[in-house]
Amino acid sequence: MTIPVIDFSKLNGEERAKTMAQIANGCEEWGFFQLVNHGIPVDLLERVKMVSSECYKQEREDNFFKNSAPVKLLKELIDKKSGDKLENIDWEDVFLLSDDNEWPLKTPGFKEAMVEYRAEVKKLSEKLMETMDENLGIPKGYIKKAFNGGEEDNAFFGTKVSHYPPCPHTEMVSGLRAHTDAGGVVLLFQDDVVDGLQILKDGEWIDVQPIPNSIVINTGDQIEVLSNGRYKSVWHRVNAKANKTRRSIASFYNPSYNATIEPATQLVKKLENEEVKFGYPKFLFGDYMSVYTEQKFLPKEPRFQAVRTASADKYDATS
Ligand SMILES: O=C(O)CCC(=O)C(=O)O
Ligand SMILES: [Fe+2]
């Protein structure tokens, strides 16, 4: 079984309806799909691969193996010979690029390529959200507007550059523990050849097959809430590999911390009070993130419950 692969360029031609249906199916039945011909220039993608690998080698790799927490903790565990696994840490090197944080500086061309890439992938995420608006039957621009809290360009757009270094004991630690994503839409530029990402589909872990220069799309908890459960966020994880380094660059289009998230009114039938209690909550995304930070690797339902309780005095839950 493999996740759907969708030719995004067909959205503009005769096959628009079919492509929209494929995207709807990807969102509803899978929560994950891959886009090919997505419009991000291949030469830019090639530069992004080059500068991120270079940056990892020059500025990160040494430190990972000499000083990082997962390396130290794994070594301690091996010395103990207890047969335990490392449950609370991931075998990854990761840093975040946003509009207002510090970026790695030493790798020539890194900043230029990543600024360009982030602009392209942000454009793609906005196009994609419009296809979701249309498929859900909500007004064009609804998701973007909700995530921006009604203001222009207020959403959070972050790019997480990850490397999963070779691991001497893949049975003792995960590359990235299973989770659903907190935010909106995630656009992942994964390694051309080294696999490792898996999603949980009908109770089974299946590989997200690498396709060079494709972009893997998945939706987070906020799209689940906004779509009133039509587009469910899906569990995924990364397995550590023994002999290879895997690169992945995940860009997140997330709500701003002060955006209010709730199911779109068009998607909510008039509910009885009891049902309202068990439906999706209404909350500030910042409040959700306070819960998520503590509970990222746990099921999402208790997170929705916790943020409902935390928000009860801000919003009347029955209105
Ligand atoms: O590295 C990957 O392939 C997935 C990363 C991921 O799931 C995340 O950053 O939330
Ligand atoms: Fe994720």
Side-chain angles (χ1 to χ4, degrees):
M1 199 163 28
T2 57
I3 71 167
V5 178
I6 302 175
D7 183 341
F8 203 60
S9 68
K10 297 270 169 69
L11 202 58
N12 303 316
E14 280 168 20
E15 291 181 47
R16 183 167 202 284
K18 184 176 143 203
T19 309
M20 286 297 287
Q22 287 174 337
I23 296 171
N25 175 261
C27 292
E28 267 178 61
E29 301 299 326
W30 291 82
F32 265 82
F33 51 95
Q34 313 211 37
L35 295 183
V36 295
N37 298 323
H38 39 64
I40 304 180
V42 171
D43 61 337
L44 175 58
L45 295 177
E46 294 297 340
R47 271 164 60 214
V48 167
K49 284 181 223 174
M50 215 171 59
V51 294
S52 34
S53 293
E54 203 49 42
C55 175
Y56 173 68
K57 278 193 216 121
Q58 281 192 20
E59 303 186 44
R60 318 270 322 172
E61 189 175 28
D62 234 30
N63 189 59
F64 179 85
F65 287 107
K66 284 189 188 140
N67 301 317
S68 76
V71 168
K72 281 185 193 154
L73 291 170
L74 184 64
K75 192 168 176 310
E76 278 172 28
L77 208 58
I78 292 166
D79 290 347
K80 265 208 266 172
K81 297 196 171 76
S82 65
D84 288 347
K85 289 182 179 171
L86 272 185
E87 305 285 0
N88 298 317
I89 203 150
D90 306 301
W91 190 263
E92 60 170 3
D93 173 76
V94 48
F95 58 90
L96 180 76
L97 308 175
S98 76
D99 283 344
D100 42 33
N101 72 340
E102 244 176 72
W103 290 24
L105 292 172
K106 293 188 201 136
T107 308
F110 180 86
K111 186 167 178 202
E112 292 76 3
M114 294 316 268
V115 164
E116 236 179 278
Y117 174 72
R118 274 168 50 77
E120 287 287 337
V121 81
K122 189 173 176 186
K123 253 192 331 199
L124 179 60
S125 56
E126 292 178 345
K127 278 191 209 152
L128 202 60
M129 289 190 298
E130 285 187 0
T131 67
M132 292 179 192
D133 293 332
E134 191 174 328
N135 277 330
L136 287 167
I138 55 182
K140 188 174 174 179
Y142 187 103
I143 299 175
K144 182 178 172 185
K145 198 166 158 202
F147 284 3
N148 281 275
E151 287 172 43
E152 201 47 43
D153 219 22
N154 199 33
F156 176 78
F157 191 73
T159 298
K160 208 179 101 178
V161 181
S162 308
H163 287 84
Y164 300 92
C167 177
H169 285 277
T170 55
E171 75 293 356
M172 289 172 77
V173 62
S174 285
L176 178 59
R177 289 161 285 165
H179 63 283
T180 68
D181 291 333
V185 179
V186 186
L187 301 93
L188 178 77
F189 182 29
Q190 71 162 336
D191 203 284
D192 282 349
V193 286
V194 185
D195 65 0
L197 175 61
Q198 295 185 315
I199 71 165
L200 191 60
K201 169 80 174 153
D202 304 328
E204 217 183 299
W205 287 103
I206 65 167
D207 293 331
V208 175
Q209 70 279 18
I211 301 177
N213 297 336
S214 74
I215 300 285
V216 178
I217 308 296
N218 75 289
T219 50
D221 299 345
Q222 306 315 303
I223 293 281
E224 176 165 337
V225 173
L226 198 140
S227 70
N228 201 24
R230 272 239 325 253
Y231 294 173
K232 295 231 168 34
S233 61
V234 162
W235 285 91
H236 53 286
R237 68 181 185 191
V238 179
N239 293 327
K241 296 273 158 180
N243 302 312
K244 290 170 182 153
T245 302
R246 174 172 178 271
R247 179 206 66 241
S248 92
I249 302 170
S251 297
F252 301 82
Y253 195 108
N254 283 359
S256 116
Y257 271 39
N258 52 25
T260 299
I261 302 300
E262 63 182 322
T265 33
Q266 294 86 344
L267 304 178
V268 182
K269 288 191 293 236
K270 188 121 187 61
L271 296 176
E272 299 300 327
N273 274 354
E274 261 317 280
E275 290 179 300
V276 169
K277 235 190 266 169
F278 296 106
Y280 289 98
K282 173 181 182 178
F283 52 86
L284 286 182
F285 181 61
D287 290 343
Y288 190 81
M289 284 312 285
S290 307
V291 175
Y292 186 85
T293 310
E294 301 292 319
Q295 304 187 13
K296 169 167 177 178
F297 301 104
L298 297 172
K300 62 191 154 189
E301 292 76 12
R303 298 202 287 264
F304 292 141
Q305 198 48 47
V307 77
R308 180 199 312 282
T309 309
S311 306
D313 51 352
K314 285 186 191 146
Y315 304 103
D316 174 7
T318 57
S319 67

